[in-house]
């Protein structure tokens, strides 16, 4: 005690203040994290390790360099803090992929909805660097070299005991015949713990995200050679297949699925429309979910999408004209890969901030394509659906459920994103579902008017939380996905001519509608629906087949890239 007391330097309190700023994400996570919740021991251990990681560089660096190094992470801290705020957990790989993927709209969207917080961050940055350059003396925080060495030894001891503990767990969990894997397993457990500690979290997740991107590039050549050997079983008639990808639409809020509010009056009246009652998405985050819808990748075999093409490519192989129409940004690498390989791509330039990005704007492109009268066509429509800031997704005449959010100024006050405003959220969200109903029903009409063999399917990339559970989750992408985030609609419609020519398939589509199933069937089902065959077709995964099997367990991939199972 004496030693410390006599050593207090005039800039001690400045050092303390800067340290608190640097460690703020860690304090914040310890306070609100759903993982650490309820365990005082874990919270203390978490903070202790956080402190050790934070302080270690000061044993090698003088104070100014030390805080300059941490300054980088103070600048990046808003990403972590906003993430904790929204998800009650630290940054996740999916989010970093979105950051790198120039799916910047999705990221910016989140940030700009919290302008007051951003201003606070700006203020803290200024304060931090002012103190750093004006108040901190450039000397070692612990001036005594022997003491520094002693602390380093203690830190090393802590790390090593921690690793030993993980090693023991790995040893217990690894089966006898696989004991050679224990060091690797232990190491992965060890790093897993650091993934939660800022700034290790953001460094590790960035490395994972970059690794995925490198993987995609590396596989491009291999991918170009890839073929499904898909063939179309030919019929004379003109055939149109339309696949619509929704955004954040949850099953429960459509009246066609039993919701008490009349949110889908038009779809309910649409002849030849089937709603699947027990269909789950494969992920609860856009970027992760899209490959699970479009390729043979699954929650348990995710990276398959980096090595294989999508069903859009398979349609093209089979001789279809393929089109990609999107009301979502063109920045997503995976989507871009598919849309570029399609015969034509249309991206409605989209600014999520704008209030006129309604999905019906895509009809110009749809009409244009349909007017070409091509023989065999696949059109994928990537809609904006119920993307956050729900009231931006529909014109004023769809404001049926009130009161709802009116304009953007509403959201800028982050105090509004609180459980007390649940009804505002639900009303606005339901209006966006009502608009989705209008968009889908009229899209179907357009195809129906072509008077030919036509097939339509719609699903959503994931659902949405609306303060439904005790944890009061809102939006999507939580580490423990709720039913609301993954139970999504699957609507299938076909024309009379389709039902005549493919009567067997249509009969099966109706018969399978209540089976427990998930996004992984879409790839196989879309191809079989169009009577496209390929050597690896799997009829057990086709809603068009009477061999279709129910899922016993459904797997969902979280933004954390961890697999969760659902019955
Ligand atoms: Zn989404």
């Amino acid at each position: 005690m004496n030693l410390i007391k006599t050593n207090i330097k005039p800039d001690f309190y400045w050092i303390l203040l800067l340290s608190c700023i640097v460690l703020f994400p860690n304090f914040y996570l310890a306070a609100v994290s759903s993982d650490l919740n309820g365990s005082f021991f874990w919270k203390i251990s978490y903070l202790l390790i956080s402190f050790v990681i934070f302080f270690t560089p000061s044993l090698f660096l003088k104070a100014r360099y030390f805080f300059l190094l941490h300054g980088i992470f103070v600048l990046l801290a808003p990403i972590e803090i906003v993430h904790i705020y929204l998800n009650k957990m630290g940054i996740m790989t999916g989010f970093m992929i979105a950051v790198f993927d120039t799916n910047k709209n999705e990221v910016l969207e989140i940030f700009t909805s919290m302008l007051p917080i951003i201003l606070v961050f700006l203020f803290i940055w200024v304060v931090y660097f002012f103190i750093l350059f004006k108040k901190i003396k450039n000397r070692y925080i612990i001036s005594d070299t022997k003491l520094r060495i002693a602390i380093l030894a203690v830190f090393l001891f802590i790390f090593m005991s921690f690793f030993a503990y993980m090693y023991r767990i790995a040893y217990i969990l690894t089966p006898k015949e696989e004991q050679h894997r224990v060091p690797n397993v232990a190491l992965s457990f060890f790093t897993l713990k650091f993934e939660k500690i800022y700034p290790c979290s953001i460094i590790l997740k960035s490395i994972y995200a970059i690794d995925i991107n490198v993987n995609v590039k590396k596989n491009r050549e291999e991918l170009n050679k890839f073929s499904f050997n898909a063939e179309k079983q030919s019929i004379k008639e003109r055939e149109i297949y339309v696949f619509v990808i929704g955004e954040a639409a949850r099953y429960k809020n459509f009246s066609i699925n039993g919701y008490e509010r009349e949110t889908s009056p038009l779809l309910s009246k649409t002849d030849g429309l089937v709603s699947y009652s027990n269909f789950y998405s494969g992920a609860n985050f856009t970027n992760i979910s899209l490959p699970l819808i479009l390729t043979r990748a699954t929650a348990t075999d995710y990276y398959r999408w980096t090595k294989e093409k999508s069903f859009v490519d398979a349609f093209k192989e089979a001789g279809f004209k393929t089109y990609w129409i999107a009301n979502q940004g063109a920045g997503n690498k995976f989507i871009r890969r598919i849309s570029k390989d399609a015969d034509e791509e249309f991206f409605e330039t989209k600014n999520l901030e704008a209030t006129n990005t309604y999905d019906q704007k895509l009809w110009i492109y749809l009409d244009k394509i349909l007017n070409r009268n091509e023989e065999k066509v696949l059109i994928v429509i990537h809609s904006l659906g119920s993307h956050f800031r729900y009231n931006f997704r529909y014109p004023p005449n769809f404001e049926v459920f009130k009161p709802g959010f009116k304009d953007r100024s509403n959201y800028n006050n982050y105090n509004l994103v609180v459980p007390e405003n649940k009804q505002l959220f639900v009303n606005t969200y339901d209006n966006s579902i009502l608009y989705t109903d209008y968009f889908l029903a009229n899209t179907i009409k357009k195809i129906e008017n072509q008077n030919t063999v036509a097939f339509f399917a719609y699903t959503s990339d994931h659902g949405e939380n609306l303060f439904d559970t005790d944890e009061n989750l809102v939006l999507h992408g939580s580490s423990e996905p709720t039913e609301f985030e993954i139970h999504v609609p699957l609507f299938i419609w076909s024309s009379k001519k389709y039902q005549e020519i493919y009567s067997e398939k249509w009969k099966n589509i109706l018969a399978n509608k209540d089976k427990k199933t998930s996004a992984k069937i879409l790839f196989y089902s879309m191809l079989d629906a169009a009577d496209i065959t390929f050597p690896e077709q799997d009829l057990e995964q086709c809603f068009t087949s009477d061999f279709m099997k129910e899922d016993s367990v459904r797997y969902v991939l979280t933004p954390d890239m961890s697999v969760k199972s659902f019955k």
Side-chain angles (χ1 to χ4, degrees), residues 225-236:
K225 287 179 227 145
F226 183 89
S227 167
F228 290 107
N229 296 311
E231 279 176 35
K232 168 71 181 153
Q233 305 309 301
S234 85
I235 55 164
K236 290 194 303 291

Side-chain angles (χ1 to χ4, degrees), residues 59-70:
L59 304 174
F60 306 96
L61 296 173
K62 289 182 176 170
R64 206 173 279 167
Y65 298 123
F66 169 70
F67 282 111
L68 205 57
L69 173 71
H70 277 301

